[in-house]
């Protein structure tokens, strides 16, 4: 996100880009249920599977791409059990949210409190 911020910023104000991303998210979620290999089911995540799930999470920085949906879909496609996929997606979300908060701290520190609106 840090490296591609300038390239991704215009997407947040483009309804077309968000709509296309939402369609892509829906397609990926549908495919994860339809294309899943039912013959194998990973009980424990491997390092390789965890890495691929993390890479997919990185693409969810674009507006309209579901972070949790992407990570769960990739885990299911890799054969991870649905409950384990959901749990891992939740844990990855904590890391992503904490990382975003750390990146926003300088902006919060430089904000002028007199400019905030009271309700």
């Amino acid at each position: 996100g840090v490296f591609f911020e300038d390239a991704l910023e215009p997407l947040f104000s483009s309804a077309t880009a968000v709509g296309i991303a939402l369609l892509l998210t829906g397609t990926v979620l549908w495919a994860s249920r339809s294309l899943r290999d039912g013959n194998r089911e990973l009980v424990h995540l491997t390092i390789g599977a965890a890495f691929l799930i993390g890479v997919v999470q990185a693409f969810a920085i674009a507006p309209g791409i579901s972070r949790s949906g992407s990570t769960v879909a990739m885990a299911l496609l890799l054969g991870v059990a649905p409950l384990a996929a959901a749990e891992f997606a939740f844990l990855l979300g904590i890391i992503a949210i904490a990382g975003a908060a750390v990146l926003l701290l300088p902006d919060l520190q430089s904000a002028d409190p007199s400019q905030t609106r009271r309700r």
Side-chain angles (χ1 to χ4, degrees):
V2 172
F3 300 116
F4 299 107
E5 184 176 359
D6 293 337
L8 291 171
E9 190 67 33
L11 296 177
F12 285 88
S13 59
S14 170
T16 302
V18 173
I20 291 169
L22 285 169
L23 289 172
L24 179 65
T25 294
T27 302
V28 168
L29 291 172
W30 175 81
S32 72
R33 300 293 286 173
S34 302
L35 301 176
R36 184 166 176 241
D37 183 6
N39 297 331
R40 64 185 180 104
E41 196 167 88
L42 299 175
V43 177
H44 300 289
L45 284 171
T46 63
I47 292 174
F51 178 77
L52 285 174
I53 295 167
V55 168
V56 168
Q57 177 176 260
F59 288 109
I61 194 162
I65 302 290
S66 168
R67 188 210 55 80
S68 61
S70 301
T71 55
V72 169
M74 176 54 82
L76 292 175
L77 286 170
L78 293 172
V80 177
L83 182 58
E87 289 173 349
F88 189 67
F90 175 77
L91 292 173
L92 276 180
I94 293 170
I95 296 168
I97 292 166
V102 167
L103 291 175
L104 290 174
L105 278 177
D107 293 340
L108 292 174
Q109 290 174 342
S110 65
D112 184 6
S114 65
Q115 297 297 319
T116 60
R117 194 173 88 190
R118 294 183 186 236
R119 293 186 180 185

